[in-house]
Amino acid sequence: MSTDIKKVPSPARSVRTIRSAKKNTMDLLNDEFGNIAVTNEAKPRATVSTTREYDLTSIKLDKSFRDNLVSVGTNKTVAASVDEEENMSDPKTYSTKGFPLAFFHSLIGQWGGREALHNLTTTEVCVKFVKPLTERSGLSLCAQYAVSPSSEDASLVKHASWFVSHAWLYKFMDVIDALDEFCHNNNLDPAKEIFWFDLFSNSQHNIESKTFEWWQTTFMNAVKKIGNVVMVLFPCHNPIPLTRCWCIFEIYASSMTGSSFHVATVPSDSGKFLEHLFSNIREYNTLLAQVSCEKSTAYLASDKDAIFALVTSTVGFGALDQRVFSTLSKWVVQTCESWINKYGGSKDFALKVLSCQHALGSFHSLQGRYGEAEPLLVYCLERRKLHMGPKNLDTLATLNELGVLLNLQGKHDESEKLLIQCMQIHKEAFGSKHPATLTAMNNLAHLYKSSLVLEIFNKAELLYSECLKLRKHVLGERHPETLSTLNDLAHWLLLDGKLQKVKPLFVEVLDLRKQVLGIRHPDTLMSMNNLGVLYLQQAQYKKAEPLLVECLQFRKRVLGSQHPDTLISLNNLALLYKAQSQYAKAQPLFVEVLASSKQVLGEDHPKTQMIQRNINSLNIYLKK
């Protein structure tokens, strides 16, 4: 997939809380998050007519689209003709043919091998090798082989089952390495799997601009026919394709055509990324905060305008972000599980496997998959105690993680035992000012904050106050962990009914988190939710609603509709409507969040039971 910086002429590109409210407060699901310690050249234009605008509203996410063809604003069904897709002797054709990945390596060998290509971008490989090779015919490399009198050459060209989305500024060999790794991780045979790769599948000569209608029809039908889109993403912490509008269009195409979406990463980069996550799994939230399809750019403003109008009028950028995040999440899990399965029986890698199991359990917990997280963390804790001892920092990290998880599951008694033990060992072994000790202290306070027993509830304030003082001294006032403790202390004050003291703290934390972490970071969204809840309790509904609505929208986009935090936001918005006697708006939200909570958390979870009480209370009003 071409980038926005290629020079003319370009290669053709394929587009691309709980607690029951204390005293007389309402049943609100305020966020309660513990701090989890872990040892932690211009492209072919999408030409937009200057005489009319395309009616983009006719493109719908419906079965007829997926099962038939793409509808455009003229209300005419436009099909990519057989001649256009399959006439391989026509350089203007848009073919869905490709080569086996193994043949990519044959070409690399013919061109001098890895050493000759290792520093070249895909654009440079095109100029140096592909264009000279196909200049006489003017065809794509695939088409040149397909019309070859040699049956052996022609047999290499087959219908592709994988559409490769990538950035042309990437090093060519990095893209090949990523595809090799993708095949390896998914048990695919490179000699049999056929990849549509624009460098080879598109003609790189005399490229003409194509109307945006063409991209909406011919291209979309081609993606639908191929059925799988694999996007090469790196660097993992801020992937380049997600900053390119035409790459975003390819994600959009995969969504609208019902094609499967996959990611491929460069082994060296993904290894560093995973090691970073192993040291602090919550860094994944930083990735969520940074990545936004809506921030993508294009060389031509008209390209960006057309793509943005299309996405906005159909699926929306939130759905594209969530498609990327969901795929990345699956990739993290798949990579960890593959590593564990590969080295699980090796004594030489025993400690590394435990680190991977800890990271995977922590990641499941971070994603709200508590049932999948618990057995991994329980097993990891037992093995780390055995191999590393009970006072080892890695062992304590798993102890802390498991304690936090049990609290999130509503298993407060079990959680308390582990968190008290964790804090005591940290103090004895590393001192009261060690960052890991402060994390253990904050998490214990977090547990106490959820207690309905006043004496235990009040312990939380003392721990939070001490932890905040020490974190400011050790980490600094703007450190994310310091801000977490400040948020938690303010939340305790909210639950204690001290509303006048709460507002300046919530406002301060929200402002600082926006500056330090970004508005889309889950911790920032927590603060946004809590300030909205404060306004709700103060009956300042006009201030509460925009915060709660924005928080819900971002959480759906970043975390997904079934994440526990998203359910908190959905519940709180329903409570806002109920407080304003807008029962017709509140009831369907309560019904939705209750069904989701039962599925995600279970019927016996305290949050599920509180949502049920909220619905019961609403039903009383409806009967009056």
Side-chain angles (χ1 to χ4, degrees):
M1 179 166 113
S2 30
T3 66
D4 301 329
I5 64 172
K6 290 164 64 177
K7 307 258 195 270
V8 178
S10 76
R13 58 161 288 132
S14 75
V15 277
R16 7 251 195 226
T17 13
I18 5 193
R19 64 182 254 106
S20 292
K22 186 132 177 5
K23 299 180 179 177
N24 59 349
T25 59
M26 302 168 64
D27 271 354
L28 299 173
L29 292 183
N30 299 295
D31 288 312
E32 297 189 350
F33 253 49
N35 301 307
I36 301 174
V38 263
T39 52
N40 355 329
E41 36 169 63
K43 307 178 309 301
R45 294 187 55 182
T47 306
V48 179
S49 170
T50 58
T51 59
R52 68 181 177 89
E53 293 182 357
Y54 290 114
D55 175 12
L56 303 176
T57 60
S58 62
I59 297 186
K60 305 293 182 183
L61 264 176
D62 56 21
K63 187 175 184 296
S64 64
F65 177 89
R66 293 192 175 93
D67 293 345
N68 202 336
L69 300 166
V70 183
S71 298
V72 295
T74 56
N75 293 320
K76 178 177 69 173
T77 298
V78 182
S81 69
V82 173
D83 287 342
E84 185 177 15
E85 285 200 23
E86 307 301 345
N87 185 1
M88 300 297 283
S89 63
D90 180 3
K92 296 180 181 179
T93 190
Y94 193 91
S95 173
T96 57
K97 301 298 174 96
F99 288 131
L101 181 60
F103 184 64
F104 289 23
H105 287 279
S106 259
L107 291 171
I108 292 168
Q110 294 173 35
W111 296 338
R114 187 179 190 93
E115 288 302 312
L117 275 67
H118 83 283
N119 249 347
L120 302 182
T121 65
T122 303
T123 300
E124 291 167 332
V125 170
C126 177
V127 172
K128 187 172 183 178
F129 298 103
V130 177
K131 292 187 75 172
L133 192 61
T134 58
E135 185 172 9
R136 185 174 180 181
S137 70
L139 299 175
S140 70
L141 191 61
C142 274
Q144 190 160 292
Y145 270 78
V147 300
S148 168
S150 165
S151 59
E152 183 179 353
D153 287 349
S155 67
L156 290 167
V157 182
K158 298 177 181 178
H159 175 71
S161 52
W162 301 95
F163 177 99
V164 181
S165 174
H166 67 104
W168 279 64
L169 58 78
Y170 279 158
K171 300 297 184 185
F172 176 73
M173 289 310 305
D174 283 343
V175 176
I176 301 305
D177 288 345
L179 295 177
D180 285 338
E181 185 76 0
F182 177 77
C183 284
H184 173 75
N185 291 340
N186 291 278
N187 298 315
L188 302 176
D189 186 349
K192 295 180 180 179
E193 297 299 326
I194 310 300
F195 285 81
W196 189 100
F197 190 58
D198 44 2
L199 177 64
F200 303 146
S201 297
N202 265 347
S203 169
Q204 307 302 319
H205 306 276
N206 301 317
I207 302 308
E208 299 177 357
S209 296
K210 295 179 173 64
T211 66
F212 200 64
E213 182 176 306
W214 184 93
W215 292 115
Q216 292 177 248
T217 55
T218 303
F219 173 77
M220 296 280 277
N221 279 289
V223 172
K224 175 181 171 67
K225 188 174 181 180
I226 292 171
N228 291 282
V229 173
V230 53
M231 179 170 279
V232 178
L233 288 180
F234 68 92
C236 290
H237 67 278
N238 190 21
I240 292 173
L242 300 184
T243 68
R244 300 291 188 263
C245 279
W246 284 107
C247 293
I248 301 309
F249 186 82
E250 291 175 350
I251 300 173
Y252 166 83
S254 74
S255 177
M256 291 295 288
T257 60
S259 301
S260 297
F261 181 72
H262 313 262
V263 298
T265 60
V266 179
S268 58
D269 178 70
S270 59
K272 293 176 183 177
F273 178 68
L274 288 172
E275 286 290 344
H276 189 55
L277 287 185
F278 287 2
S279 67
N280 186 353
I281 201 65
R282 288 178 66 81
E283 281 298 307
Y284 186 78
N285 283 342
T286 302
L287 173 63
L288 299 183
Q290 290 175 342
V291 171
S292 173
C293 292
E294 204 165 4
K295 294 180 182 179
S296 61
T297 60
Y299 180 77
L300 296 174
S302 59
D303 286 2
K304 179 178 178 179
D305 292 345
I307 292 170
F308 274 42
L310 184 61
V311 172
T312 303
S313 67
T314 52
V315 296
F317 282 101
L320 299 190
D321 283 345
Q322 184 50 218
R323 190 168 180 84
V324 172
F325 295 146
S326 176
T327 306
L328 284 173
S329 176
K330 291 176 183 177
W331 171 77
V332 171
V333 172
Q334 178 190 47
T335 304
C336 287
E337 289 178 342
S338 175
W339 210 95
I340 292 169
N341 292 334
K342 182 177 181 179
Y343 296 107
S346 170
K347 293 182 179 180
D348 295 335
F349 289 91
L351 297 183
K352 188 70 174 179
V353 169
L354 289 176
S355 293
C356 195
Q357 288 173 325
H358 171 92
L360 182 57
S362 302
F363 186 72
H364 280 313
S365 180
L366 188 69
Q367 296 279 290
R369 298 186 290 264
Y370 303 146
E372 295 175 64
E374 186 174 356
L376 282 165
L377 292 174
V378 168
Y379 176 82
C380 184
L381 179 60
E382 293 173 351
R383 304 306 294 176
R384 278 185 159 174
K385 283 182 177 179
L386 179 64
H387 291 285
M388 307 167 79
K391 295 184 178 182
N392 178 273
L393 270 175
D394 288 343
T395 304
L396 293 173
T398 306
L399 180 64
N400 176 78
E401 189 77 41
L402 182 58
V404 169
L405 173 65
L406 293 171
N407 188 22
L408 291 171
Q409 292 175 300
K411 302 175 181 179
H412 301 313
D413 290 342
E414 297 175 57
S415 173
E416 183 178 19
K417 293 178 182 178
L418 297 186
L419 292 178
I420 289 177
Q421 180 186 1
C422 186
M423 189 177 76
Q424 289 175 342
I425 296 176
H426 270 107
K427 281 187 173 181
E428 293 171 3
F430 306 105
S432 61
K433 295 182 180 182
H434 193 282
T437 304
L438 300 180
T439 296
M441 183 186 301
N442 194 87
N443 289 338
L444 182 59
H446 207 67
L447 172 68
Y448 289 156
K449 185 177 63 176
S450 64
S451 177
L452 298 177
V453 179
L454 184 60
E455 182 181 356
I456 297 176
F457 173 78
N458 287 336
K459 288 182 180 180
E461 183 185 24
L462 298 175
L463 286 174
Y464 279 139
S465 297
E466 182 182 358
C467 185
L468 180 61
K469 179 181 178 180
L470 291 171
R471 276 184 160 171
K472 284 182 176 181
H473 175 71
V474 175
L475 302 174
E477 295 192 357
R478 294 168 59 91
H479 192 280
E481 298 302 331
T482 305
L483 298 181
S484 291
T485 303
L486 182 59
N487 174 82
D488 292 341
L489 177 58
H491 186 240
W492 182 91
L493 293 170
L494 176 66
L495 295 177
D496 200 40
K498 299 173 181 178
L499 303 187
Q500 296 306 314
K501 293 183 179 182
V502 174
K503 181 180 177 180
L505 296 179
F506 274 161
V507 169
E508 178 185 1
V509 176
L510 178 57
D511 182 57
L512 287 171
R513 279 179 160 171
K514 284 180 178 180
Q515 295 176 39
V516 175
L517 302 172
I519 194 171
R520 296 158 54 94
H521 193 284
D523 288 356
T524 306
L525 299 180
M526 181 198 310
S527 292
M528 187 183 296
N529 173 81
N530 289 345
L531 183 57
V533 167
L534 172 64
Y535 287 139
L536 173 54
Q537 291 198 10
Q538 294 177 326
Q540 298 185 54
Y541 304 134
K542 291 184 178 180
K543 291 184 178 181
E545 185 168 5
L547 287 169
L548 295 178
V549 168
E550 184 177 19
C551 183
L552 176 60
Q553 291 172 342
F554 273 128
R555 280 178 162 171
K556 284 183 175 180
R557 187 168 182 165
V558 173
L559 301 174
S561 60
Q562 297 297 296
H563 191 282
D565 287 4
T566 307
L567 302 184
I568 287 173
S569 286
L570 193 61
N571 177 82
N572 288 345
L573 187 58
L575 285 170
L576 173 68
Y577 292 142
K578 175 189 170 187
Q580 299 176 88
S581 300
Q582 297 181 35
Y583 304 132
K585 286 186 176 181
Q587 189 176 34
L589 295 183
F590 276 134
V591 171
E592 179 185 351
V593 71
L594 179 62
S596 295
S597 188
K598 287 180 178 179
Q599 180 181 352
V600 174
L601 301 174
E603 294 191 14
D604 295 330
H605 193 281
K607 290 185 179 180
T608 305
Q609 294 175 354
M610 181 169 289
I611 295 168
Q612 183 66 67
R613 290 198 299 270
N614 289 338
I615 292 181
N616 295 340
S617 175
L618 176 63
N619 289 335
I620 293 174
Y621 283 96
L622 293 175
K623 291 177 181 178
K624 291 182 180 179

